[in-house]
Amino acid sequence: MSNALLVAGTTSDAGKSVVTAGICRWLARQGVHVAPFKAQNMSLNSFVTADGAEIGRAQAMQAQAARVEPEAAMNPVLLKPGADGRSQVVLLGRPVAEVGALDYRERKPLLLERALECLADLRRRYDVVVCEGAGSPAEINLRDRDIANMGLATAAALPVVVVGDIDRGGVFAAMYGTLALLSAEDQRHVAGWFVNKFRGDARLLAPGLEMLRELTGRPVLGTLPMLPDLWLDAEDSLDLSTVVDRTAGRGPLGADVLRVAVLRFPRLSNFTDLDALAQEPGVLVRWATRPEELADADLVVLPGTRATVSDLAWLRERGLEQALKARAAAGLPVLGVCGGYQMLARTIVDEVESKAGAVDGLGLLPTHVRFGVEKVLGRPVGEAYGQRVEGYEIHHGVVAVEGGTPFLDGCRVGAVWGTTWHGALENDGFRRALLRDVAALAGRAFVPAPDVSFAEAREARLDRLGELIEEHADTDALWKLIEGGVPAAGSLPFLPPGAPGACPADLDGRATPGIPPGRTPGSPKYVQYEDDPAARPAGRPTPRADPPRPTGQAPKGES
């Protein structure tokens, strides 16, 4: 089958998730039955599918971009880092082990096999599968156990495009170096580049794009402009600045704004819960790590965490416990979600996650928490403030409620709320009712906007991603890669030195030791073979005197 493509990146947060989602939405808008796929994802932001499987939140977002229901096969391996240097391994939506980095390496051959089975299944059921890599494909110390980048590409015969973040600087060096550190077999799969987060005059960039094509033999398939207000389902802490410290771009309807401070736990999870708050006009959302940062907050949120007991200790070390208790005593709003809700309990007994045993909670709610071995995964539906609420839950801690007013599956006492439900704030009616209650308790003349639809805002941003690909990428070239698969052997030049310890080879498999760096077919330095054909080694392809122009479209417009 040749109906799939892998989107890799020069670094984490280069834009792989966004480009993958954009390609999915571009294809879906054309009536193509498309699915996303990520073999292995390390993230503390996850989602629960309709059948109760846990997958990376980014893959759920990409499925929405593709206009299909998310499923476990789209992210067969999910790693959730803990506080002890170990990670929980979630396989096909279910936790199967807690492992360290070295232990995990030994499991990778089996995990690759399962990932390939899932990918093959998706390729049979969908017209196109758009795969996302993880980190960088040039992590040479991990290549022998790679299941998400070139290991997947070579095993599943996937053409690869590589995304680089030009906003960080050094994008040309990152792209050239990424290719040059791959073996000849891996290089054969890399068919083109995407320059992401570009701002400025496209005319100044054009010579660099041409030089990159000449140096690597691969065209730039798209130069994507910076979208500063893009907030779609960040995967890790590198993306935290896109989640909060921003506003919806509209002023408040009432006389006051509403200030929300969110505790930035070291093992913060599912911080996408905050996206809906940050979309509300007049709601200012920011991170907090010190007591003084809570002083002017109208609402303090304790979000989810992968390490409840450890992050509770962190909270106490920074003096935040007394600040939270003072707020509760003064009747100022505090909201705990999942792990944050567990911290508000009177006692926590954890022999599973931290193995700390019995620990005192903050005591702000009449609840007790006991961690269970089995993870609770679900898509609950309920009611609060007279509004229908849908959410999802992912937790080992089981909360016993012994008082207070019911609040979703949790409780409320005074101005302190707690629930295990993620995603509840995405329900527009519930969110507005909660904000009105918060504003009244905080003494703010704040009025929630009656016309904000979080679902519509998300759809509008997914459409923008699709338009980003349609308007700024060479879609004809993308189609050729999707339909044609991996470029033919010998059609793309090998870029020395290749993977460390490997003998450089042409893409047809013949060894070519001794060729100095930079002297690749099509390179400006590769002149002696062009001038003297007799000096060209047997079997090496003849460089064209007039190199073809890149197939990638020139950037349309400026940003």
Side-chain angles (χ1 to χ4, degrees):
M1 293 178 288
S2 55
N3 62 336
L5 173 78
L6 175 66
V7 179
T10 56
T11 62
S12 292
D13 199 33
K16 298 184 294 293
S17 296
V18 167
V19 172
T20 299
I23 294 175
C24 285
R25 178 49 63 101
W26 163 64
L27 291 170
R29 283 162 60 123
Q30 299 180 72
V32 177
H33 192 41
V34 57
F37 177 80
K38 186 163 185 173
Q40 172 193 290
N41 193 354
M42 177 175 280
S43 177
L44 290 176
N45 274 352
S46 56
F47 180 77
V48 179
T49 65
D51 60 354
E54 184 180 9
I55 65 172
R57 181 80 193 205
Q59 279 61 67
M61 176 269 292
Q62 291 161 356
Q64 185 173 355
R67 295 175 176 158
V68 297
E69 186 68 26
E71 57 178 289
M74 295 173 181
N75 178 207
V77 182
L78 173 64
L79 303 179
K80 304 191 73 173
D84 57 356
R86 298 172 68 81
S87 293
Q88 184 179 70
V89 180
V90 179
L91 178 62
L92 290 175
R94 303 292 175 183
V96 294
E98 293 274 348
V99 299
L102 294 178
D103 300 327
Y104 181 64
R105 282 177 58 85
E106 301 307 314
R107 296 172 181 263
K108 282 195 169 184
L110 174 60
L111 296 177
L112 175 60
E113 181 179 339
R114 301 302 298 273
L116 290 171
E117 291 171 356
C118 290
L119 177 56
D121 176 51
L122 292 174
R123 293 173 85 170
R124 283 189 293 267
R125 293 189 284 121
Y126 287 85
D127 299 331
V128 176
V129 180
V130 185
C131 308
E132 180 188 347
S136 164
E139 292 171 347
I140 53 180
N141 56 315
L142 304 177
R143 175 61 182 91
D144 64 331
R145 291 290 190 271
D146 172 46
I147 69 172
N149 294 301
M150 304 314 299
L152 181 74
T154 54
L158 302 176
V160 178
V161 295
V162 179
V163 181
D165 179 358
I166 196 170
D167 195 51
R168 294 182 176 184
V171 70
F172 295 126
M175 289 175 167
Y176 185 96
T178 294
L179 186 64
L181 283 175
L182 302 181
S183 69
E185 181 186 10
D186 287 352
Q187 286 193 26
R188 179 188 163 195
H189 290 256
V190 178
W193 313 104
F194 271 90
V195 175
N196 192 31
K197 302 180 187 177
F198 175 70
R199 44 182 147 197
D201 191 328
R203 293 170 296 182
L204 297 176
L205 185 63
L209 305 183
E210 176 65 16
M211 292 182 210
L212 182 66
R213 186 201 65 80
E214 291 180 348
L215 286 166
T216 67
R218 279 87 171 161
V220 175
L221 301 177
T223 301
L224 310 180
M226 171 72 80
L227 295 181
D229 60 343
L230 190 67
W231 46 262
L232 285 167
D233 291 357
E235 275 201 330
D236 54 40
S237 60
L238 291 175
D239 300 315
L240 287 181
S241 62
T242 69
V243 179
V244 298
D245 297 323
R246 56 181 170 80
T247 65
R250 289 166 52 188
L253 272 67
D256 293 338
V257 299
L258 208 62
R259 294 172 174 82
V260 179
V262 184
L263 298 190
R264 185 170 178 167
F265 296 134
R267 291 295 173 181
L268 181 72
S269 70
N270 285 81
F271 48 79
T272 47
D273 285 336
L274 309 173
D275 288 338
L277 283 180
Q279 285 302 294
E280 284 286 344
V283 176
L284 308 179
V285 185
R286 63 177 186 266
W287 294 117
T289 58
R290 302 189 304 272
E292 58 267 27
E293 293 171 327
L294 310 185
D296 66 343
D298 302 305
L299 171 65
V300 173
V301 178
L302 282 68
T305 168
R306 169 72 171 89
T308 299
V309 172
S310 175
D311 282 355
L312 176 59
W314 171 91
L315 179 155
R316 284 175 163 140
E317 289 168 1
R318 281 154 182 76
L320 290 162
E321 178 175 18
Q322 294 308 314
L324 290 170
K325 289 183 174 180
R327 285 186 62 84
L332 295 175
V334 175
L335 171 65
V337 179
C338 200
Y341 170 38
Q342 294 168 10
M343 292 182 190
L344 298 174
R346 291 170 178 166
T347 61
I348 301 170
V349 179
D350 180 13
E351 300 290 356
V352 176
E353 192 176 79
S354 67
K355 297 180 174 57
V359 177
D360 288 336
L362 297 175
L364 298 183
L365 288 177
T367 58
H368 299 275
V369 179
R370 180 175 292 274
F371 277 69
V373 175
E374 295 297 320
K375 179 181 284 191
V376 177
L377 298 168
R379 293 274 290 271
V381 178
E383 183 177 299
Y385 294 106
Q387 302 290 326
R388 176 183 168 87
V389 183
E390 298 180 4
Y392 60 99
E393 52 183 339
I394 307 168
H395 55 91
H396 282 280
V398 178
V399 183
V401 180
E402 299 180 348
T405 303
F407 177 71
L408 300 177
D409 70 329
C411 70
R412 172 185 180 176
V413 173
V416 180
W417 298 262
T419 177
T420 63
W421 291 14
H422 296 291
L425 293 168
E426 296 179 13
N427 297 269
D428 298 329
F430 165 75
R431 183 180 64 254
R432 285 192 278 268
L434 177 65
L435 290 177
R436 280 193 290 269
D437 200 357
V438 166
L441 289 167
R444 297 291 186 186
F446 170 83
V447 179
D451 59 344
V452 173
S453 168
F454 182 75
E456 290 179 5
R458 181 187 293 277
E459 274 297 302
R461 280 163 174 77
L462 290 172
D463 279 336
R464 286 186 67 191
L465 291 185
E467 291 161 2
L468 196 70
I469 298 299
E470 185 175 352
E471 296 173 5
H472 297 278
D474 185 343
T475 53
D476 288 340
L478 280 176
W479 265 121
K480 288 177 181 178
L481 286 176
I482 292 169
E483 294 176 341
V486 180
S491 63
L492 295 174
F494 169 77
L495 191 64
C503 180
D506 274 340
L507 298 183
D508 58 5
R510 282 188 287 275
T512 55
I515 302 299
R519 297 188 180 274
T520 57
S523 164
K525 295 181 179 180
Y526 199 91
V527 294
Q528 75 273 34
Y529 296 155
E530 295 177 4
D531 295 341
D532 183 8
R536 189 178 302 115
R540 181 172 288 278
T542 303
R544 295 177 53 149
D546 181 17
R549 296 186 60 82
T551 57
Q553 294 176 342
K556 299 178 182 179
E558 303 173 8
S559 66

